[in-house]
Amino acid sequence: MTSFSIHGVGVSSGIAIGQAHLVSNALLEVVHYQLPNHLIDDEIERFSNAIKTVKYDLEQINHSLRKSAPAEISAFISTHLMMLEDKSLSEIPKDIIKNEQCNAEWAIKLQMDDIVDQFDQIEDEYLRERKQDVIQVVERIIKVLLGHPSQLPIEQQTSVVHQERKLILVAHDISPADAIQFKQHQFAAFITDVGGVTSHTAILARSLNIPSIVALQRARDLINDGELIIIDGDLGVVIVSPSKEILAEYKLRQEQWELEQQKLQLIKTTKAVTIDGTHIELFANIEVPDDTAAAKASGATGIGLYRTEFLFMNRREMPDEEEQFIAYKSVAEAMKGAVVTIRTLDLGADKQMNPDSIVNCANPALGLRAIRLCLSEPSIFHTQLRAILRASHFGNIKILIPMLSTLAELRQTKLLLERAKISLRQENIAFDEHIALGGMIEIPAAALSAEAFAKELDFMSIGTNDLIQYTLAIDRTDDTVAHLYNPLHPSVLKLISMTIKAGEKFGKSVSVCGEMAGDSKLTKLLIGMGLRQLSMHPSHVLSVKQQILHSQISQLNENARKILGLTDIEKIEPLIAKFNLH
Ligand code: PEP
Ligand code: MG
């Protein structure tokens, strides 16, 4: 067997060596056949039973894995359950069976094709992701109709688990519902043909902490079941049927990687201080209150970004003030006096409440999202501000505003915050009168006006995920341009640097809470540029801390100055790699 490699986008680090396990695509197995009149009712019943089975399976998965599962997955399963209840999937196929006198598999597939066509016509980026969800749900229904046993049985024997550690899942796409079962399994890695850096699959891979590569395009066609493959999650490379030499090299690299992960645990309680005594604050990003457990276990000393929009997703009603208050208070209390930075609602673009709330606009990432949405819906914003203020009495809470682009938005926000405070004072409800108000710098306009924002804000947090998207005009969820999404573009570095300098000038703290903060290859650069606070996914805290412990500020400043002086993007990455060695 000749060896070859396939390139995709690495979304979760590490090296895995194992046998390819191809996840079948049930949609390809559907055939069409006609049914005589007297069998139509039975076929409709068979279809209804399949819907019930899928619903039951999803509910079981949701129920059994609620505690251990990453929060995002439970939300995805709820979306799939909601889709299953929708008439277009649960009722219309029955009419098709009756009218076309066809088998149930064919009817649901026809209906799916119709829905997918509608999505395609709208050409909306977010809807395209939802389209994938519809396909995943239909695949599940078809698998049941075809009588396929569940590919990932929930109960596992120890011997099976042992074998799984050597299995690498190869799929066209992996639905969140399938992926949730990974928690009960111990696959070595997974790779998919589709997906962007911030696709559901990518988010999930990072939270499971196993190597993963997406956007491989034809991996499922090119790789055979049982074939030996190597996954390099850092480089985004899959090596199929490696030679003896390559295999030996990767085995060595894998052992070294695992050893490093174990060694990192030793610095969990060590303070993040450079050799010359500069303290760097390492905070965690969280999505739901339960994430505080992972944040604390990682050694993070506070929450630098609590993405509150997750509380608003996969539901039809907005959470009321009491529900929000309970959530925010529980985070404040869990962190026992450590900083908790609560970001106000950042809904819109790729983050919608539910499929019904999707608004069709040409460029959702440039549309009514985040603070723009909150200012256009003051009563929703008022409710959230009151809930955050009330929770501030129970911990060390700061408020963070997403997507600021003008001072007018900030001033309007301040007025609404004051109005929320007045309403609480009138009701004699306690809150932190001096609660800090910060702003996300994630739109180039805000970075270019960072001094003006620094004057009027208490702190700033750089959202590099969006800052890169808007500076480079690269949709962060689109895998076809993922290779162009480069955090080290000189213009991105310049905007980050301007924001840090503005903070220094006006004595306001500046942090980074985008994915750049968790990339340990960039830690020395960011510290050298003047950052003293970074907020990241809990799984990255220790590798970032290790970089800090080996740093000398004066050297980092000098290195950062040289990197910022470069205008050629090709030279930046090698120079960072060179500096990281020292
Ligand atoms: C960012 O844009 O960098 C950020 C942290 O916010 P989000 O990823 O939630 O848009
Ligand atoms: Mg953002």
Side-chain angles (χ1 to χ4, degrees), residues 343 346 369 440 442 466 476:
R343 184 174 72 182
D346 188 10
R369 56 172 292 198
M440 295 275 296
E442 51 186 343
D466 277 315
R476 62 190 264 200

Side-chain angles (χ1 to χ4, degrees), residues 521-539:
K521 293 193 289 301
L522 305 180
T523 307
K524 290 185 174 178
L525 170 66
L526 294 177
I527 306 298
M529 286 169 75
L531 284 159
R532 296 295 175 263
Q533 201 184 99
L534 301 170
S535 190
M536 63 206 76
H537 191 278
S539 63

Side-chain angles (χ1 to χ4, degrees), residues 316-387:
R316 292 177 199 277
E317 302 284 322
M318 292 266 169
D320 63 12
E321 182 182 313
E322 199 55 25
E323 185 182 343
Q324 292 189 53
F325 164 64
I326 290 168
Y328 308 153
K329 175 172 170 263
S330 74
V331 173
E333 288 180 338
M335 294 311 292
K336 296 187 166 58
V339 169
V340 172
T341 315
I342 302 187
R343 184 174 72 182
T344 59
L345 202 50
D346 188 10
L347 278 180
D350 57 332
K351 291 184 279 195
Q352 299 288 340
M353 266 185 80
N354 60 55
D356 294 349
S357 58
I358 296 163
V359 197
N360 181 25
C361 62
N363 290 302
L366 307 181
L368 191 65
R369 56 172 292 198
I371 190 62
R372 301 167 185 180
L373 181 70
C374 287
L375 294 177
S376 73
E377 298 271 3
S379 67
I380 295 174
F381 201 25
H382 182 68
T383 304
Q384 182 173 44
L385 291 172
R386 271 180 59 103

Side-chain angles (χ1 to χ4, degrees), residues 240-462:
V240 186
S241 293
S243 65
K244 262 191 199 151
E245 293 76 23
I246 295 283
L247 189 62
E249 187 193 319
Y250 267 94
K251 275 192 174 152
L252 200 69
R253 280 177 58 186
Q254 189 185 32
E255 276 166 25
Q256 282 167 347
W257 196 84
E258 277 162 10
L259 215 63
E260 273 165 30
Q261 297 303 302
Q262 282 168 20
K263 268 196 340 216
L264 282 178
Q265 289 301 319
L266 300 173
I267 56 166
K268 209 165 104 178
T269 52
T270 311
K271 280 209 161 78
V273 179
T274 61
I275 296 168
D276 42 358
T278 303
H279 182 236
I280 310 294
E281 207 80 69
L282 296 185
F283 286 171
N285 293 352
I286 63 166
E287 270 91 45
V288 291
D290 281 354
D291 291 346
T292 47
K296 287 198 284 187
S298 74
T301 51
I303 304 297
L305 172 66
Y306 173 9
R307 292 178 160 107
T308 58
E309 54 275 10
F310 281 81
L311 187 65
F312 292 67
M313 286 185 198
N314 296 301
R315 55 194 293 167
R316 292 177 199 277
E317 302 284 322
M318 292 266 169
D320 63 12
E321 182 182 313
E322 199 55 25
E323 185 182 343
Q324 292 189 53
F325 164 64
I326 290 168
Y328 308 153
K329 175 172 170 263
S330 74
V331 173
E333 288 180 338
M335 294 311 292
K336 296 187 166 58
V339 169
V340 172
T341 315
I342 302 187
R343 184 174 72 182
T344 59
L345 202 50
D346 188 10
L347 278 180
D350 57 332
K351 291 184 279 195
Q352 299 288 340
M353 266 185 80
N354 60 55
D356 294 349
S357 58
I358 296 163
V359 197
N360 181 25
C361 62
N363 290 302
L366 307 181
L368 191 65
R369 56 172 292 198
I371 190 62
R372 301 167 185 180
L373 181 70
C374 287
L375 294 177
S376 73
E377 298 271 3
S379 67
I380 295 174
F381 201 25
H382 182 68
T383 304
Q384 182 173 44
L385 291 172
R386 271 180 59 103
I388 298 174
L389 285 168
R390 284 174 59 193
S392 70
H393 182 61
F394 299 90
N396 187 2
I397 287 179
K398 295 179 177 195
I399 300 177
L400 180 60
I401 310 297
M403 297 280 299
L404 283 172
S405 62
T406 65
L407 286 177
E409 287 164 339
L410 174 56
R411 290 173 188 153
Q412 233 177 314
T413 301
K414 283 187 174 177
L415 280 178
L416 292 176
L417 182 61
E418 195 46 44
R419 194 178 294 169
K421 286 182 178 177
I422 290 169
S423 71
L424 290 173
R425 282 187 206 114
Q426 280 167 349
E427 294 166 40
N428 280 325
I429 299 177
F431 64 90
D432 175 6
E433 287 280 354
H434 306 290
I435 193 162
L437 180 68
M440 295 275 296
I441 304 296
E442 51 186 343
I443 295 179
L448 291 166
S449 303
E451 287 201 3
F453 280 104
K455 268 192 230 167
E456 300 194 21
L457 285 165
D458 296 318
F459 66 96
M460 297 189 286
S461 190
I462 307 174

